[in-house]
Amino acid sequence: MRADEPLPDLEAFRSEVRSFLRENLPHDIRERVKRGCNDFTTAELRDWMAVLAHRGGWSCPNWPAEHGGPGWSHAQKYIFEREYALNHCPKLPNGGSAMLGPTLMHYGTREQKNRFLPDILTGKTFWAQGYSEPNAGSDLASLKCRADRDGNHYVINGSKIWTTGAHTSQWLFGLFRTDSSGRKQQGITFLMIKLSSPGITVRPLPMFEGSDELAEVFFDDVRVPVDQCVGEEHDGWNVSKYLLSLERFGAAHIGTTTARLDRVKELAATTPVGEASLLDDPVFANKLAQAEIELRALDVTEQRFLLGSSGAEAAMLKIRGTEVQQMVMELLVEVAGVHAQLAPDTGQEDRPRHAPAGAEYAAHGYFHFRKTPIWGGSNEIMRNIIAKAVLGL
Amino acid sequence: MRVDASDFELTEEQRLFGESVARFLEQEYPFEKRARIVAGEPGFLDEHWRQFAELGWLGLAIPERYGGLGGGAGDVAVLMEQIGRGLLASPLLTSNVLAAGALVASGDRALCDEILPSTAAGETRLALAYAEPQARYDPFDVATSARRDGEHWRIDGSKIVVGFANCADQLIVSARTAGDRRDRGGISLFLVDPGSPGIDAHHYHTHDGGRASDLAFEAAEAVALIGREGGGLAPLEHALDFASLAVAAEACGAMWAVYEQTLAYIKTREQFGVPIGSFQAIQHRMVDVFMRCELARSMVHDAVAAWGRGDRAEMARAVSAARVNIGNGARLVGEEGIQLHGAIAMTDEVSIGHYLKRITMINASFGDPAWHLARYAGLMREQSGNSGNGDENASK
Ligand SMILES: Cc1cc2nc3c(=O)[nH]c(=O)nc-3n(C[C@H](O)[C@H](O)[C@H](O)COP(=O)(O)OP(=O)(O)OC[C@H]3O[C@@H](n4cnc5c(N)ncnc54)[C@H](O)[C@@H]3O)c2cc1C
């Protein structure tokens, strides 16, 4: 299967998706995404999610119809992901849609599903993921943030760090230590916590390139009802592992990288070098071609993996996806040339400016996306997984 | 052998000077304080600028006859390496190395006498406006024009990313007085008062905490022609090569700082019950970082030595070679520094990301690695063409 082959029904689906996105995405959001801006207000994202949700659950493209999602096939999801990125739609917070949602569908009680899934779908609640701690990064199982049972409640004490969007979300799901007597993977419990609960303090952690998506969360005797536990008590490690096994789709972010590569071409074609353009420069064109070939190899690999798994597809797609993404981010910086120096939001709007649109986001994006080989299981940890699980080393 | 041992050694004086720069920056410009300084205007402290003058940093690259210290390329490299380590953002490079360098190289003694003593003393700041929207990194691609108007010259055109023009007392502007946009001849340098009518400035921050400006000139009156009419490109290219050497040394300092901090971090950060530096996957990456740092140091020495020998073509080759090798190496070191630290390096509170910012800005200054590689290839072709037999020449 090649999901981009022009099978008649898929082509119809593609144009349906495309025209809906084109007609409904607010123009200024589209323009900002196209320029490379990653910062959107919660209200903007929520409104856009509501529009997608209204269309038939498109806000949660991976969800089955049973839970209000579109119930798409793999090929349809693939097409949607590409069209979403190529039409310059903003990246949505996915803690609820891609992480907690599928976990609840598998492990949640009926009450939990009814209570939480609808608001994820409409974008009413945003969810943060509280796994990492200062001393539990790659070695996640060594986490220490405690949840002590007290009647019908857990009492939480400790802290979480690198919690994306904790300051813009209403809820947090995460892993907490309920027992420290056995192996470190045992005695971990998966809990859902309302971020406005008494005893929670959220401290934003500004990133070095100026983004403000990271935060730290402190828990001081925070009481959480036991019905907010997902799966069995002490079994949170397995609950979170199930989620990891699902995360295959879109791990490589091929859609957004393709959109950025298109942007590189567009900019290179209008960037003068001598009497010609940067796109005519054979050295630059070779680099661009190399990046496109790597992206193509990744794209085909993702499509192959949709058909059958080798056991390492999530890890491999994550590693290569982030590596190719970095290649393209670097090309954006190179195209911007001397204009790459301009920092966003620091100039005087009303003054003569020569930088091409989005030049200020070239280096900004390059800096920002250094995060992807680190998060979600660093690329080193992913290589360890492949070495162990697939190569048997 | 192409180089002798003295090319690799600092003099006792240079060693002490480097240590004093390092000490000053550690005490006066710690990372936390730097964050506050670069966020405020004009991006550095007047008090520091006065101290730089007293310490001789501002006159280091300026000849003694014009009130400077007449330091050589090696001295400037020592200063810049420490500036790279200390992440110092200031107009020192753009004003006192680059713009002052162009003025000196122009051979215009009268203007040098008039301007450089106060530049070395920290009283007059300069900015060199040469880059243009269509020119990418080619300094000879000049669309800005200058025409005579009675006693005066008037300038029309656009200049971009002029470093620290926000606080410059005088501008040096390249403009075409003859020829077509990409002719090497017909380019002249002018002294321009940034406050003159007909100049519109757009000031902004650069990612590394520095400042830059886009300038639009509309019949703006120049104060003076610098040097000979039509003779502007040679001094401009000379000054740009010297600035390239300076930023190569600066990047080298930044690389070593990233290396040292990352090495210390992986020895202390524990995951899975052991320091992450005990994993071979990490050790090999760290060794690669180390090797890039050593190569960078070699390339700085090489460029300094070539500069000392004074052969123009060899200088250009050595400088471009350094910018390619160090540019690529510094990017790798900065990226690996972040990766090996993990999430903590993505925060504003930790300096590693700020080194990558400076490294990236250096790579977008005075030619990126791709531009220098193409230039090196051109010089290489010329050299082989001239000697008739490249192989024989190289083995000597
Ligand atoms: C922008 C951003 C957003 C994030 N968002 C979230 C979030 O929403 N929720 C959340 O819970 N977490 C989040 N994280 C945290 C992320 O999951 C961790 O950063 C990641 O698990 C790595 O942990 P660490 O940063 O502590 O690095 P460390 O584990 O300290 O690792 C440091 C370096 O050592 C390497 N290393 C570690 N162990 C090994 C080994 N055994 N073999 C080889 N190399 C090794 C790592 O790969 C890395 O290069 C986010 C991180 C970032 C950067």
Side-chain angles (χ1 to χ4, degrees):
Chain A
M1 178 198 82
R2 281 288 299 266
D4 59 353
E5 267 169 22
L7 296 172
D9 55 334
L10 288 181
E11 265 324 298
F13 175 74
R14 187 193 299 277
S15 47
E16 180 193 343
V17 169
R18 186 178 296 170
S19 44
F20 180 81
L21 296 175
R22 285 204 181 146
E23 280 156 28
N24 291 281
L25 180 70
H27 179 76
D28 74 303
I29 294 189
R30 181 191 154 89
E31 287 307 304
R32 273 185 289 158
V33 171
K34 196 170 174 201
R35 286 203 303 270
C37 170
N38 296 304
D39 296 327
F40 295 93
T41 66
T42 307
E44 283 171 323
L45 296 176
R46 181 167 291 149
D47 290 350
W48 172 234
M49 252 186 115
V51 171
L52 290 170
H54 192 69
R55 179 65 184 79
W58 289 15
S59 52
C60 295
N62 295 335
W63 285 20
E66 167 195 359
H67 293 294
W72 284 328
S73 66
H74 277 321
Q76 284 174 308
K77 290 179 199 169
Y78 171 94
I79 289 172
F80 182 79
E81 195 240 342
R82 298 301 188 274
E83 289 301 320
Y84 191 83
L86 294 176
N87 288 289
H88 312 292
C89 299
K91 186 176 175 332
L92 293 170
N94 64 358
S97 61
M99 300 185 198
L100 180 67
T103 309
L104 278 184
M105 289 172 204
H106 191 79
Y107 283 98
T109 62
R110 191 199 319 221
E111 289 69 34
Q112 287 174 337
K113 291 179 203 173
N114 290 340
R115 180 173 172 200
F116 294 111
L117 293 181
D119 287 351
I120 292 176
L121 194 67
T122 57
K124 193 169 163 220
T125 35
F126 286 172
W127 286 80
Q129 178 195 37
Y131 284 11
S132 306
E133 296 177 12
N135 291 314
S138 298
D139 182 13
L140 182 59
S142 68
L143 61 91
K144 292 207 166 58
C145 190
R146 266 173 41 216
D148 300 321
R149 188 73 184 254
D150 176 19
N152 277 338
H153 284 85
Y154 294 102
V155 182
I156 317 280
N157 279 290
S159 70
K160 292 288 173 184
I161 197 167
W162 322 126
T163 321
T164 302
H167 47 320
T168 46
S169 301
Q170 296 74 45
W171 282 79
L172 171 142
F173 65 89
L175 299 176
F176 298 87
R177 173 75 49 202
T178 38
D179 181 9
S180 25
S181 58
R183 278 178 62 230
K184 61 185 182 180
Q185 287 82 359
Q186 293 162 349
I188 291 173
T189 299
F190 190 112
L191 299 176
M192 300 180 288
I193 304 175
K194 196 170 186 163
L195 280 162
S196 57
S197 311
I200 291 185
T201 312
V202 176
R203 187 176 79 100
L205 278 173
M207 289 170 78
F208 79 91
E209 89 301 2
S211 298
D212 59 358
E213 64 187 37
L214 282 180
E216 212 172 346
V217 186
F218 300 92
F219 302 85
D220 182 13
D221 282 335
V222 176
R223 297 184 70 80
V224 177
V226 287
D227 66 3
Q228 286 168 210
C229 169
V230 181
E232 298 295 315
E233 187 175 271
H234 306 320
D235 196 37
W237 189 251
N238 287 324
V239 176
S240 71
K241 263 170 68 179
Y242 166 78
L243 176 60
L244 285 180
S245 73
L246 279 183
E247 262 182 10
R248 242 199 294 169
F249 222 138
H253 298 291
I254 294 168
T256 42
T257 301
T258 306
R260 284 199 189 98
L261 196 69
D262 287 350
R263 179 84 179 145
V264 173
K265 289 182 200 166
E266 189 184 319
L267 288 167
T270 53
T271 299
V273 174
E275 302 302 338
S277 83
L278 189 56
L279 201 56
D280 300 316
D281 174 19
V283 177
F284 184 80
N286 281 357
K287 275 190 224 174
L288 192 59
Q290 185 70 56
E292 189 165 297
I293 289 166
E294 295 307 327
L295 183 57
R296 193 185 174 109
L298 184 66
D299 191 348
V300 180
T301 304
E302 190 187 55
Q303 293 180 45
R304 269 183 56 221
F305 284 175
L306 289 177
L307 292 178
S309 70
S310 65
E313 58 279 5
M316 177 170 165
L317 291 174
K318 199 264 171 169
I319 295 170
R320 267 324 269 170
T322 56
E323 287 173 354
V324 178
Q325 177 187 53
Q326 309 286 340
M327 277 177 93
V328 175
M329 300 313 297
E330 284 166 20
L331 285 176
L332 274 169
V333 175
E334 186 171 339
V335 175
V338 67
H339 292 298
Q341 297 191 39
L342 171 60
D345 307 322
T346 60
Q348 305 134 295
E349 290 295 327
D350 55 332
R351 292 307 174 96
R353 153 183 171 147
H354 294 282
E360 64 270 49
Y361 292 111
H364 185 266
Y366 161 66
F367 299 139
H368 182 79
F369 285 98
R370 296 311 311 174
K371 72 184 180 180
T372 59
I374 297 172
W375 76 2
S378 73
N379 285 10
E380 289 73 36
I381 294 300
M382 292 293 157
R383 282 188 163 87
N384 288 348
I385 289 173
I386 297 178
K388 203 169 149 190
V390 186
L391 281 60
L393 295 172
Chain B
M1 252 190 34
R2 216 157 49 82
V3 280
D4 61 66
S6 68
D7 286 346
F8 303 135
E9 284 158 20
L10 299 185
T11 63
E12 181 63 5
E13 217 180 350
Q14 285 172 334
R15 200 178 55 75
L16 292 173
F17 175 57
E19 283 172 13
S20 79
V21 177
R23 233 181 355 260
F24 179 89
L25 292 176
E26 273 161 30
Q27 282 164 13
E28 296 297 320
Y29 203 72
F31 182 66
E32 305 71 39
K33 186 171 171 189
R34 172 192 193 268
R36 287 195 303 275
I37 295 173
V38 299
E41 298 306 327
F44 59 95
L45 299 183
D46 280 339
E47 181 201 337
H48 283 167
W49 191 254
R50 277 193 298 276
Q51 285 168 312
F52 299 164
E54 283 159 22
L55 291 164
W57 302 1
L58 300 184
L60 189 65
I62 294 174
E64 280 169 296
R65 62 187 296 179
Y66 303 128
L69 294 178
D75 304 313
V76 172
V78 167
L79 173 64
M80 292 307 295
E81 182 168 336
Q82 294 306 330
I83 284 178
R85 277 180 175 272
L87 274 176
L88 174 64
S90 88
L92 188 149
L93 171 74
T94 47
S95 166
N96 295 53
V97 176
L98 177 62
L103 198 52
V104 172
S106 77
D108 192 325
R109 291 193 173 184
L111 280 179
C112 286
D113 274 331
E114 195 182 315
I115 293 167
L116 291 179
S118 70
T119 306
E123 289 150 15
T124 301
R125 269 190 298 265
L126 310 175
L128 178 67
Y130 75 98
E132 300 198 358
Q134 81 293 342
R136 236 174 135 68
Y137 295 110
D138 292 336
F140 56 85
D141 189 324
V142 178
T144 297
S145 66
R147 63 191 150 84
R148 278 185 201 279
D149 176 17
E151 292 287 279
H152 300 288
W153 289 89
R154 290 193 182 278
I155 299 182
D156 284 279
S158 300
K159 296 290 178 182
I160 56 167
V161 202
V162 184
F164 283 97
N166 63 328
C167 59
D169 302 297
Q170 298 283 351
L171 299 173
I172 295 175
V173 182
S174 63
R176 197 159 275 295
T177 43
D180 291 331
R181 202 190 95 206
R182 288 179 61 81
D183 285 351
R184 294 186 61 86
I187 296 167
S188 307
L189 298 179
F190 294 91
L191 192 69
V192 178
D193 178 344
S196 340
I199 303 180
D200 203 356
H202 172 209
H203 303 303
Y204 47 85
H205 294 205
T206 52
H207 288 280
D208 53 0
R211 297 295 186 276
S213 312
D214 291 355
L215 305 174
F217 298 84
E218 215 183 300
E221 191 181 300
V223 177
L225 169 72
I226 300 172
R228 194 168 54 76
E229 185 181 330
L233 186 62
L236 179 61
E237 286 189 331
H238 187 85
L240 287 169
D241 269 340
F242 195 63
S244 260
L245 189 156
V247 291
E250 185 184 353
C252 179
M255 289 166 79
W256 281 98
V258 171
Y259 161 74
E260 285 162 20
Q261 284 183 36
T262 307
L263 182 61
Y265 188 77
I266 66 170
K267 285 180 178 174
T268 50
R269 168 69 173 171
E270 292 193 4
Q271 287 290 275
F272 306 99
V274 290
I276 56 174
S278 66
F279 301 126
Q280 279 190 343
I282 301 271
Q283 290 172 357
H284 288 188
R285 305 262 294 264
M286 203 60 217
V287 169
D288 286 343
V289 165
F290 169 74
M291 293 195 295
R292 295 306 314 208
C293 292
E294 287 289 0
L295 292 172
R297 179 155 289 159
S298 304
M299 295 308 268
V300 172
H301 282 302
D302 185 42
V304 166
W307 203 269
R309 286 190 287 273
D311 175 72
R312 193 65 196 98
E314 199 200 328
M315 282 152 74
R317 270 196 301 277
V319 164
S320 279
R323 290 297 310 276
V324 172
N325 181 280
I326 293 176
N328 293 331
R331 182 161 60 74
L332 177 113
V333 168
E335 292 176 355
E336 290 289 74
I338 291 182
Q339 184 66 21
L340 297 183
H341 272 79
I344 196 155
M346 294 300 297
T347 63
D348 200 37
E349 295 161 27
V350 170
S351 64
I352 294 293
H354 296 270
Y355 281 106
L356 182 65
K357 281 184 170 179
R358 179 59 193 147
I359 284 165
T360 307
M361 296 303 100
I362 285 176
N363 278 348
S365 300
F366 323 130
D368 62 4
W371 187 87
H372 280 285
L373 182 62
R375 180 184 187 228
Y376 188 93
L379 291 163
M380 188 181 71
R381 279 194 298 269
E382 253 170 50
Q383 191 190 22
S384 334
N386 288 346
S387 66
N389 184 337
D391 287 351
E392 193 187 314
N393 200 31
S395 63
K396 269 184 196 160

